[in-house]
Amino acid sequence: GQQVMQIPQYQHVQEGEDFTTYCNSSTTLSNIQWYKQRPGGHPVFLIQLVKSGEVKKQKRLTFQFGEAKKNSSLHITATQTTDVGTYFCAAAIYNQGGKLIFGQGTELSVKP
Amino acid sequence: NAGVTQTPKFRILKIGQSMTLQCTQDMNHNYMYWYRQDPGMGLKLIYYSVGAGITDKGEVPNGYNVSRSTTEDFPLRLELAAPSQTSVYFCASSLPTWTGSNEQFFGPGTRLTVL
């Protein structure tokens, strides 16, 4: 079936360092969503990107959608301990209704 | 609004037993989903529903069944539990995609262990 590859699987950073996770699909996407899951918690929606080349910012988080709508990235500037968790991309394929295909996630740990 | 609620929070089953995981949402969302999440993995779609009376298989439906008799409820049934079904199960809901706002809202999850 269709897959969404997300890398890296783990990232350990010192507090204040930057962090980036990447998401790639072999299929052109309708849109891509990003979720955060804290340890022991449930996924929480962060943002949705729809347009080719779209860039959105939420404070220290920058989200990008590739020109070909096949890849996306999430960049966190100057990480804080509150950023700890697993970040998932979730891809919506055309004509698949509301179904999302989740990447396997990037687990971020931040050392104070 | 309570959002998406799931019961139970935890459950231990013996091999061959059956159980129903409950999911309710109070946001009047048409779309509902069941996922499983294995350690260190992403979420795999089990079943989904675009409205009352309509259900469809996701990526990993074997060993599970669902029903959708109301907009609010979307129970997941496990028949003949197997160790491979040990996982965390999340229910989610969303508005239809044509609204342009189809973010998914997740419940707190059910941690199931099959021994």
Side-chain angles (χ1 to χ4, degrees):
Chain A
Q2 287 153 333
Q3 287 190 330
V4 173
M5 303 303 296
Q6 188 174 354
I7 58 169
Q9 192 170 357
Y10 304 97
Q11 186 80 58
H12 309 286
V13 300
Q14 195 77 32
E15 190 172 20
E17 291 182 338
D18 293 355
F19 159 77
T20 305
T21 174
Y22 301 90
C23 199
N24 289 287
S25 166
S26 57
T27 307
T28 303
L29 304 175
S30 168
N31 67 73
I32 195 157
Q33 300 177 15
W34 286 90
Y35 291 79
K36 178 182 179 181
Q37 184 177 25
R38 294 185 186 275
H42 59 275
V44 175
F45 174 81
L46 293 175
I47 209 157
Q48 176 176 288
L49 304 171
V50 179
K51 298 177 183 176
S52 167
E54 190 169 16
V55 178
K56 286 188 176 180
K57 293 191 176 184
Q58 288 180 350
K59 297 183 180 178
R60 294 178 294 103
L61 278 62
T62 302
F63 303 84
Q64 292 188 325
F65 201 10
E67 293 290 340
K69 298 183 71 172
K70 290 185 176 182
N71 58 74
S72 182
S73 65
L74 157 59
H75 179 81
I76 302 178
T77 303
T79 54
Q80 300 175 358
T81 54
T82 53
D83 295 325
V84 164
T86 300
Y87 293 84
F88 292 98
C89 62
I93 311 292
Y94 286 103
N95 302 318
Q96 292 290 308
K99 288 194 295 182
L100 295 175
I101 300 172
F102 280 79
Q104 68 178 125
T106 297
E107 184 180 337
L108 173 65
S109 64
V110 179
K111 188 174 181 181
Chain B
N1 287 350
V4 181
T5 57
Q6 291 182 239
T7 57
K9 285 189 170 57
F10 303 93
R11 184 72 187 268
I12 298 175
L13 282 181
K14 294 183 179 178
I15 294 172
Q17 287 185 319
S18 61
M19 76 166 292
T20 299
L21 282 68
Q22 301 292 344
C23 175
T24 301
Q25 53 91 11
D26 62 359
M27 296 174 282
N28 202 32
H29 285 168
N30 290 65
Y31 288 19
M32 294 188 75
Y33 316 82
W34 273 106
Y35 294 93
R36 60 176 287 172
Q37 184 177 35
D38 299 322
M41 302 294 287
L43 292 101
K44 300 291 186 186
L45 183 65
I46 305 171
Y47 271 95
Y48 68 103
S49 169
V50 298
I54 306 170
T55 63
D56 208 347
K57 295 178 180 179
E59 190 180 352
V60 289
N62 291 346
Y64 308 94
N65 275 302
V66 293
S67 59
R68 185 95 182 270
S69 57
T70 67
T71 299
E72 295 78 19
D73 300 305
F74 190 39
L76 176 72
R77 178 89 178 155
L78 277 73
E79 306 280 4
L80 297 175
S84 61
Q85 293 178 305
T86 294
S87 191
V88 179
Y89 291 85
F90 289 103
C91 178
S93 71
S94 74
L95 291 170
T97 51
W98 54 261
T99 64
S101 179
N102 64 323
E103 66 183 90
Q104 293 190 9
F105 294 81
F106 283 81
T110 295
R111 296 178 185 276
L112 175 67
T113 302
V114 182
L115 301 174

